[in-house]
């Protein structure tokens, strides 16, 4: 008897082996897609070190050992060069400053220091080795301070406004966790005063504050604070014509956090803002009373497994005491800022007293207390 291939009598149930093979193929495709996506999501905290090692006459050196050590974390990584004398090293959280050493049998070892200066995609360190070992003296390069900003000194497309380390931010009279305050330290950034319905911000190239972008370790970070001890560095980019960035036309503030190193290290900071050390001019707005602020922060990190696994933790406690903003505590200068005549304020308080209405209530404290934990 002859049957058609589509006849029910000729159909067979799929074999279990074929079903398992199909599921395994789908799993492999999913893993490859995940690897491609993860590779595309390498954030701004990853440093790529690359270069070439050549010998006498510019010939590439195959098999030379290149070792890079992070100045900040103390982590070292090594790679041997290929037949073209090329090497590539990845540091997911290196800190931007490295000591790179090239060694090859029969040639003098060489070492260079590389550092991220602006917004480079990769750090390049090339070596030309010689067959005779020669002791070289240290070369010190000092750059003179540039004169006042001129027409040619304005930021160029893709330039970086300012890069500040965590140590520099801790010595400045600003809040290291406030991206608006840090951005204002760069040329070309203008402060935008907040109102009743809008928060304070900054403007770059005349753009609205909502066109700016703030990132933390490469991810969007629009709200919240970071402990002072956890801030490694903050980079402000005032011109963002780089095609690698998108969906905004203003400036970008990139903050990276600290991580553990091969050495156990920690620090503690205490900051005090006293109203007797604060000053405001006559052009200020609103109440001009000073405030008292106490801030205590600390952090510690170290190795769990050297060169492989680390830990780091930090915390911050801030307490701010503001005087209650009332007419009874306002001085003549404050009343002038508010557009109120001092005699009008006294007359209003006298009217309240005439009706037997108290100007102060014992249940309402004279100070406003605000605590912040991070």
């Amino acid at each position: 008897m002859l049957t058609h291939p589509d006849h029910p009598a000729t159909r067979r149930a799929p074999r279990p082996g074929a079903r398992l093979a199909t599921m395994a193929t789908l799993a492999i495709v999913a893993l490859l897609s995940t690897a491609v996506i993860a590779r595309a999501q390498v954030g701004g905290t990853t440093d790529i070190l690359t270069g070439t090692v050549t010998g006498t006459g510019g010939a590439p050196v195959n098999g030379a050992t290149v070792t890079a050590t992070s100045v900040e974390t103390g982590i070292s990584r090594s790679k041997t060069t290929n037949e073209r004398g090329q090497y590539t090293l990845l540091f997911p959280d290196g800190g931007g400053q490295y000591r790179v050493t090239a060694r090859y049998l029969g040639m003098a070892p060489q070492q260079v220091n590389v550092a991220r200066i602006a917004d480079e995609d990769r750090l390049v360190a090339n070596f030309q080795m010689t067959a005779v070992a020669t002791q070289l003296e240290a070369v010190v390069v000092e750059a003179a301070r540039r004169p006042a900003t001129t027409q040619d000194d304005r930021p160029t497309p893709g330039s970086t406004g300012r890069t500040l380390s965590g140590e520099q931010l801790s010595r400045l009279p600003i809040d290291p966790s406030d991206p608006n305050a840090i951005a204002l330290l760069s040329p070309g950034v203008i402060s935008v005063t907040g109102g009743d319905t809008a928060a304070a911000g900054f403007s770059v190239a005349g753009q609205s504050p909502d066109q700016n972008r703030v990132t933390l370790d490469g991810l969007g970070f629009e709200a919240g604070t970071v402990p002072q001890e956890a801030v490694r560095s903050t980079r402000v980019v005032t011109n963002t014509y780089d095609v690698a960035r998108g969906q905004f036309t203003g400036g970008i503030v990139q903050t990276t956090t600290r991580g553990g190193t091969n050495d156990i290290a920690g620090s503690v900071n205490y900051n005090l803002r006293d109203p007797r050390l604060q000053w405001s001019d006559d052009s200020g707005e609103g109440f001009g009373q000073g405030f008292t602020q106490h801030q205590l922060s600390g952090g510690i990190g170290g190795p769990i497994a050297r060169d492989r696994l680390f830990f780091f933790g930090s915390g911050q406690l801030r307490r701010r005491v503001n005087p209650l903003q009332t007419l009874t505590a306002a001085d003549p200068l404050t009343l002038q800022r508010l557009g109120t005549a001092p005699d009008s304020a006294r007359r209003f308080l006298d009217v309240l007293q005439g009706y037997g209405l108290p100007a102060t209530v014992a249940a309402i404290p004279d100070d406003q207390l605000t605590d912040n934990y991070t």
Side-chain angles (χ1 to χ4, degrees):
M1 180 179 63
L2 299 178
T3 58
H4 192 272
D6 293 335
H7 193 275
T10 63
R11 297 178 182 174
R12 295 182 179 179
R15 293 177 298 173
R19 183 178 302 173
L20 292 177
T22 302
M23 295 177 63
T25 302
L26 294 176
I28 293 174
V29 172
L31 289 175
L32 292 177
S33 301
T34 304
V36 172
I37 295 175
R39 183 179 179 183
Q41 290 180 345
V42 175
T45 60
T46 299
D47 291 332
I48 303 176
L49 277 71
T50 184
T52 58
V53 180
T54 58
T56 305
V61 178
N62 185 12
T65 302
V66 180
T67 303
T69 303
S70 172
V71 176
E72 181 170 339
T73 65
I75 300 175
S76 298
R77 287 185 170 87
S78 300
K79 194 70 176 290
T80 57
T81 57
N82 57 17
E83 63 277 2
R84 297 182 180 179
Q86 300 171 343
Y87 71 92
T88 301
L89 292 169
L90 295 179
F91 281 81
D93 195 19
Q97 299 183 15
Y98 304 92
R99 290 190 301 269
V100 187
T101 305
R103 292 183 175 88
Y104 188 74
L105 185 63
M107 294 186 177
Q110 292 189 9
Q111 177 177 304
V112 296
N113 296 327
V114 295
R116 182 185 294 276
I117 299 176
D119 198 23
E120 304 93 336
D121 293 336
R122 58 189 61 198
L123 305 178
V124 180
N126 297 324
F127 298 90
Q128 185 172 6
M129 309 184 72
T130 58
V132 179
T134 304
Q135 185 69 28
L136 302 178
E137 297 181 357
V139 178
V140 180
V141 179
E142 297 182 356
R145 185 178 179 88
R146 301 184 66 180
T149 303
T150 61
Q151 183 74 17
D152 297 333
D153 295 331
R154 295 179 179 179
T156 58
S159 65
T160 299
R162 183 70 58 88
T163 300
L164 297 172
S165 64
E167 290 75 11
Q168 291 174 323
L169 292 174
S170 64
R171 293 193 294 266
L172 294 174
I174 62 173
D175 184 5
S177 61
D178 186 3
N180 297 326
I182 299 175
L184 294 177
L185 299 177
S186 300
V189 180
I190 301 175
S191 174
V192 177
T193 305
D196 296 335
T197 59
F202 62 93
S203 173
V204 176
Q207 299 295 316
S208 173
D210 58 6
Q211 292 299 317
N212 300 322
R213 187 177 182 185
V214 180
T215 63
L216 179 66
D217 291 335
L219 299 177
F221 187 73
E222 303 298 335
T225 58
V226 180
Q228 176 178 331
E229 303 299 319
V231 177
R232 167 183 288 169
S233 64
T234 300
R235 181 185 309 160
V236 181
V237 181
T238 54
N239 290 318
T240 54
Y241 297 102
D242 188 354
V243 295
R245 306 185 180 97
Q247 300 182 357
F248 67 100
T249 59
I252 180 172
V253 180
Q254 298 175 323
T255 299
T256 58
T257 57
R258 294 182 182 274
T261 67
N262 282 330
D263 300 323
I264 297 179
S267 61
V268 177
N269 278 307
Y270 170 74
N271 296 325
L272 170 64
R273 293 191 178 184
D274 192 282
R276 291 170 294 184
L277 301 178
Q278 299 173 19
W279 173 85
S280 61
D281 56 9
D282 296 343
S283 61
E285 297 180 358
F287 287 83
Q289 297 107 318
F291 61 90
T292 302
Q293 178 173 292
H294 304 271
Q295 178 173 301
L296 179 64
S297 62
I300 187 172
I304 298 177
R306 293 185 64 86
D307 290 332
R308 296 177 55 191
L309 187 62
F310 312 93
F311 74 92
F312 183 83
S314 62
Q316 179 174 285
L317 168 63
R318 180 187 302 161
R319 167 165 290 188
R320 177 166 175 167
V321 181
N322 291 319
L324 196 64
Q325 299 180 356
T326 64
L327 288 178
T328 57
D331 54 17
L333 180 58
T334 301
L335 294 175
Q336 183 180 358
R337 291 172 178 168
L338 298 173
T340 304
D343 56 346
S344 298
R346 286 196 303 269
R347 190 159 53 246
F348 174 74
L349 295 176
D350 293 339
V351 171
L352 291 180
Q353 186 177 4
Y355 283 104
L357 299 176
T360 59
V361 180
I364 300 178
D366 296 333
D367 297 324
Q368 179 183 9
L369 180 63
T370 303
D371 290 336
N372 177 269
Y373 307 91
T374 304

